[in-house]
Each structure stands twice: as structure tokens, then as C-alpha cells.
Amino acid sequence: MKGEEPVGNLSRFCCIPPGYTGKTKKGHLIFDACFESGNLGRVDYITEFEYDLFIRPDTCNPRFRVWFNFTVENTAPYQRVIFNIVNFSKTKSLYREGMTPLVKSTSRPRWQRIPAKNCFYYRCPDHRKNYVLSFAFAFDNDTDVYQFAYCFPYTYSRLQGYLDDIERRSLSYFKREMLCLTVQQRRLDLLTITSPDNMNSPLRKRVVFITARIHPGETPSSYVCQGLIDFIISNHPVAKVLREYLVFKVIPMLNPDGVVLGNYRCSLMGFDLNRHWHEPSPWAHPTLVASKNLLMELDSDSTAHLDFYIDIHAHSTLMNGFMYGNIYDEEERYERQAVFPKLLCANADDFSMSNTSFNRDAMKAGTGRRFLGSSLDPETHCYTLEVSFFSYNTNSTTSPYTEDGYYKLGRNVARTFLDYYKLNSLVVKSKNNQKSSTRRESSGASSRSNGQSTIDPNTLPYPMKFS
């Protein structure tokens, strides 16, 4: 296989010493990436202790080689190896900051990070001075199948199972629709989460639009999005108030084909979808066309006011969660859009205002944030929410993100909408139950005994005023 460029994923490839002709035996490692979201294009045998691994480039686009996800089996008892991942397309990486790959196995199904002392990221003269990630690993159970990944995988099938489970609960305030089919005929799911009274109400509704996973390898965005959904559909008092006054539209996976294929950034046809919002093609970018059309319909709908568009991503070189916003000529508009990130920073220890920035970089002109920021109503706030692939810093300590950590950020984003819309100070207290009312008020809940808010919409200041 040496010298060949990887064009597809390895399928149960047994890596044996050159010239070996005998029967495969224990310790002849079998590599596999032919599964959903898998990526490993090639393995070169160096010695019995060392292997060079090549990431398969994104489908139809050789520029992007970052995401990997593969299994190893047929190990010898206590076999020790060094894996070198040799063809990353990006040189700047959180591997410089202590990030390490993830591993799990049949008997230990929970993802763990490989210890930092076993990982090295360096320029390698043997690979045209490209950056190489080398990590040492000991296979301590010869009957296990081991899986290695760049970050916590989150597959299309996992999303479908998660949404199916919610649907089975028959929640009156949750609606799931298929917005369109992808090129490979997969669902693009649209979720609507709001009080049943808002579903068909002729009154003007405030809308928050959330999207995630336009870049398939940015798996943390799916965890953040799920954390947000979990909170909004929960029985938490804050969630109940949010559903009463807001309509949440969520597209949790904008690039299902890329996710299934195990790409890092591109779709089936090799397009970076987050550079084609300005002029998407129905045949090449159907999920963008459907999403853009829906956003434009909401923008022109007299019964809706689109307050927020937030696109969730993951970042490969920076720590913490943070946001990107737009620069506007109108000073008042520019100042207004800084409010939500500041509120989120107060709610989330892992959110960084220092990493948050506002720009009009020409290279980002085709992104959802940039295009929609210039196309939608001026009162619509458009952001990219980024979260680190690796860790966050708080009080001079660095904590690696876990799946639960990403969920928590999603919950905190949801809570921040309550602060933004200033519901806390507008809850009406019941005279005969003032103590319980005050307690609920602190979490944004209603004071009415049946759990419904007694807020008068006519008393709400911008941006909650209904018309």
C-alpha cells in the first residue's frame, strides 16, 4: 500500500509485516473504518511496534484531512504500539495545547482521552516536514475491539434514535418534520419546540432559529445542540416559560451525508456548505436551499419575528466556548448584538468573551452568520457559536471537555434566552402564595398555581413586545 493515496476507508485491513506469507496470527492488527462516521484511509507497517496511519480526505475534496475514527482488533496480549497519524491538512492544532485522541473498547465503552504523556505532535522530516501526531498505546485485552477517534463521535443514526425517542413521548410542545432529503436521501430534520398555543396562533411570535453540524467532523456541536434541546423540552420552570413566549426552530444536523461519510468539513460532493449560503444549488446543496428558504419565509412572515439565528460549530485551535458576530455600520445594532454573548458569559463558566469577536472577514462571506446577517431583518441577531474540541480554562485551570460538558453548554445557552428576554422581573406574584412565587421567580418560572405564566404580553418591553 505504500505510495498510494487513500481514496476510501479501510475495511478490516490486516496489517502484516512485508514479505510475510503465513497464516494471520495474534498481533497482526486488523484496522477497520467501514462504519458510520468512520475515517481511516491507509496503514503502513513500519515495525511490529510502529504504524503510519493516513486520514482519508473528505469525499471529493482532498484539502481536508483532520477527522479520524477507526477500530483495531486481533491484538496480542499486552501488545504495545506507536501510531503515527501523518497527513493532517492543518498544522495549527489543539494537539499543541495538550489535546489527545479518544479511545474506548468493547469492555470499556466509555470514551477516555489517551494520557498526554503518551502523545507527541511535531514536524516530521520523514513526512515532508508535515505535522505528525504520534501516540503510544498498550492493548491490555486481546479479545477487545478498540476504537480511536479525533473527538467524541456523534452519528446520524444516533441523532435519529434520539429524535425517535422524543417523538415517542408525544410531547404537545414538540413537533418534528422532514424539511427535505439530502443528496443521498437522508432526512433533514426540523424541530419546532413551543407551547401548543403558539403552534397555530395568529399573534406575532418571537422565533429563535438554531442549526448545527454543517461541518460533519465538528461533533461537539451536536452535543451542545442536544443539551439545548434536552433543556427546552424539559419540565424545568425556565424551559416552561421559554416555550410559552418563544418558538424554537432547530435543525440539529445540516450535513447528514458528510456525517455518515466520516468527512471533516465537506458534503458528499466535496462542498464546504458553510461557504454557499449566498447562492446554494438545489441539486448540490439541498439542505442549504431548504434551510435558507425557511429562514426567508420566517423573515417575511407577519405573524413571526425572527430574533436569533445561531449556528453551532466546534473549533480546532482555541479553548472554551465563544461566539462570532457581525460588524454593522449602525452603532446601535452593533451594540445590541454584544448583549447575548455577555449574558451567556455570565451563565457559563466555560464561555470566553476574550475569544468572542465581531468581524466582516471576506473569507467568511458565504457563511450562515455573514449572509443572514446582511439579508434578514436588522433586528435579527446572527451568531456562530463555537466550542473547543478540547478544553476550557477557568480560574487558571484547564478542564478537558466531556460529553456532559458539551451538554451543559447547550443548557446554558438555552437559559440565557430567559435573561435576554428579561422574563424574571415581569413575573406577577400571587398575594396568597408569595413565598413560593418568589422562589419560582428566581428561576424564571410562573407564579400561577397551574404552572402557566401570568405575564401580560402587552407589558413586555422590546424585544418581547408582541404585535
Side-chain angles (χ1 to χ4, degrees):
M1 288 191 63
K2 282 195 175 184
E4 295 179 12
E5 287 298 323
V7 293
N9 281 329
L10 291 179
S11 178
R12 295 193 55 79
F13 170 74
C14 186
C15 195
I16 58 177
Y20 182 85
T21 57
K23 186 179 179 181
T24 300
K25 58 185 181 180
K26 276 286 191 180
H28 290 167
L29 300 182
I30 296 175
F31 295 84
D32 186 44
C34 268
F35 52 85
E36 187 177 1
S37 295
N39 186 311
L40 184 64
R42 171 179 145 202
V43 176
D44 287 352
Y45 179 99
I46 306 302
T47 71
E48 62 179 306
F49 306 109
E50 186 173 7
Y51 302 81
D52 283 352
L53 278 53
F54 293 77
I55 297 168
R56 172 189 52 76
D58 279 11
T59 313
C60 300
N61 194 326
R63 288 180 55 203
F64 300 108
R65 301 178 308 279
V66 176
W67 172 258
F68 58 85
N69 183 14
F70 61 92
T71 63
V72 178
E73 57 186 296
N74 197 43
T75 63
Y78 302 102
Q79 182 176 0
R80 298 185 179 189
V81 300
I82 295 174
F83 289 147
N84 308 307
I85 300 179
V86 302
N87 67 331
F88 285 108
S89 59
K90 298 179 76 169
T91 57
K92 193 176 180 183
S93 170
L94 284 167
Y95 287 126
R96 290 178 173 177
E97 310 298 328
M99 176 171 147
T100 64
L102 294 163
V103 62
K104 69 175 185 177
S105 71
T106 311
S107 62
R108 284 155 296 187
R110 196 168 175 83
W111 288 105
Q112 301 176 46
R113 290 197 180 274
I114 293 172
K117 65 181 181 180
N118 293 351
C119 300
F120 308 90
Y121 188 68
Y122 57 99
R123 280 190 183 274
C124 182
D126 293 338
H127 293 280
R128 303 176 185 175
K129 296 186 178 180
N130 289 336
Y131 273 89
V132 169
L133 171 69
S134 295
F135 60 94
F137 192 80
F139 297 103
D140 57 353
N141 187 331
D142 62 328
T143 62
D144 269 11
V145 176
Y146 293 80
Q147 185 173 353
F148 299 88
Y150 180 82
C151 194
F152 303 99
Y154 193 110
T155 64
Y156 172 77
S157 293
R158 174 173 177 164
L159 174 67
Q160 294 303 302
Y162 168 68
L163 297 181
D164 289 345
D165 287 344
I166 297 176
E167 273 197 310
R168 280 191 283 270
R169 293 163 61 184
S170 299
L171 302 173
S172 62
Y173 46 80
F174 177 89
K175 181 181 178 183
R176 177 188 182 188
E177 304 169 78
M178 186 180 74
L179 195 55
C180 74
L181 289 171
T182 68
V183 175
Q184 290 187 313
Q185 302 300 292
R186 296 186 177 94
R187 290 177 60 99
L188 179 69
D189 284 292
L190 169 68
L191 315 180
T192 302
I193 305 168
T194 190
S195 166
D197 293 340
N198 293 332
M199 293 286 190
N200 300 302
S201 171
L203 296 176
R204 200 171 193 213
K205 300 171 282 288
R206 319 298 304 198
V207 180
V208 174
F209 205 110
I210 309 287
T211 58
R213 211 64 186 281
I214 195 168
H215 290 147
E218 296 179 7
T219 57
S221 66
S222 283
Y223 289 95
V224 174
C225 190
Q226 181 175 324
L228 182 143
I229 295 168
D230 284 340
F231 184 82
I232 298 171
I233 66 172
S234 74
N235 289 322
H236 194 285
V238 172
K240 291 179 180 179
V241 176
L242 289 174
R243 291 196 299 268
E244 185 173 356
Y245 284 95
L246 301 174
V247 177
F248 289 91
K249 297 281 187 180
V250 185
I251 299 178
M253 191 172 283
L254 268 171
N255 190 351
D257 290 349
V259 169
V260 171
L261 291 167
N263 289 345
Y264 174 66
R265 197 171 180 91
C266 295
S267 65
L268 167 72
M269 296 183 179
F271 293 107
D272 179 346
L273 296 184
N274 206 34
R275 295 297 183 271
H276 290 274
W277 277 94
H278 56 296
E279 200 171 344
S281 159
W283 66 270
H285 323 116
T287 63
L288 281 195
V289 171
S291 303
K292 180 180 175 181
N293 287 345
L294 177 58
L295 282 157
M296 293 306 171
E297 288 174 15
L298 287 168
D299 189 52
S300 60
D301 187 347
S302 61
T303 67
H305 189 286
L306 183 57
D307 283 343
F308 286 91
Y309 170 76
I310 300 178
D311 188 26
I312 309 175
H313 287 250
H315 207 280
S316 63
T317 61
L318 294 177
M319 304 287 199
N320 295 76
F322 56 95
M323 294 185 103
Y324 291 130
N326 296 315
I327 292 177
Y328 301 109
D329 295 330
E330 303 86 354
E331 185 176 353
E332 186 269 341
R333 186 182 182 189
Y334 179 74
E335 290 175 350
R336 265 194 297 115
Q337 73 159 346
V339 173
F340 188 85
K342 289 179 180 177
L343 291 172
L344 179 54
C345 188
N347 287 336
D349 290 339
D350 57 327
F351 188 85
S352 168
M353 277 305 295
S354 61
N355 285 347
T356 295
S357 65
F358 304 91
N359 63 71
R360 52 163 61 123
D361 185 351
M363 293 290 291
K364 305 291 180 70
T367 64
R369 166 181 64 89
R370 284 290 308 280
F371 170 77
L372 295 169
S374 62
S375 303
L376 299 175
D377 187 289
E379 291 183 350
T380 302
H381 301 307
C382 298
Y383 304 98
T384 299
L385 172 63
E386 297 274 3
V387 62
S388 176
F389 272 108
F390 175 37
S391 67
Y392 57 94
N393 299 321
T394 55
N395 300 323
S396 302
T397 62
T398 299
S399 302
Y401 271 112
T402 62
E403 292 160 289
D404 289 340
Y406 291 128
Y407 290 141
K408 183 179 178 181
L409 178 58
R411 294 195 297 270
N412 284 329
V413 171
R415 290 170 184 267
T416 302
F417 288 113
L418 180 70
D419 294 333
Y420 182 84
Y421 288 109
K422 302 177 181 177
L423 293 180
N424 280 336
S425 62
L426 296 167
V427 174
V428 178
K429 296 180 183 178
S430 169
K431 289 183 180 178
N432 58 3
N433 194 13
Q434 190 163 350
K435 285 188 178 179
S436 62
S437 167
T438 304
R439 183 174 64 252
R440 289 198 203 99
E441 189 176 339
S442 67
S443 62
S446 160
S447 62
R448 194 186 295 176
S449 60
N450 64 5
Q452 296 298 310
S453 172
T454 59
I455 301 171
D456 178 1
N458 295 318
T459 68
L460 299 174
Y462 179 83
M464 281 299 294
K465 186 176 181 181
F466 290 66
S467 58

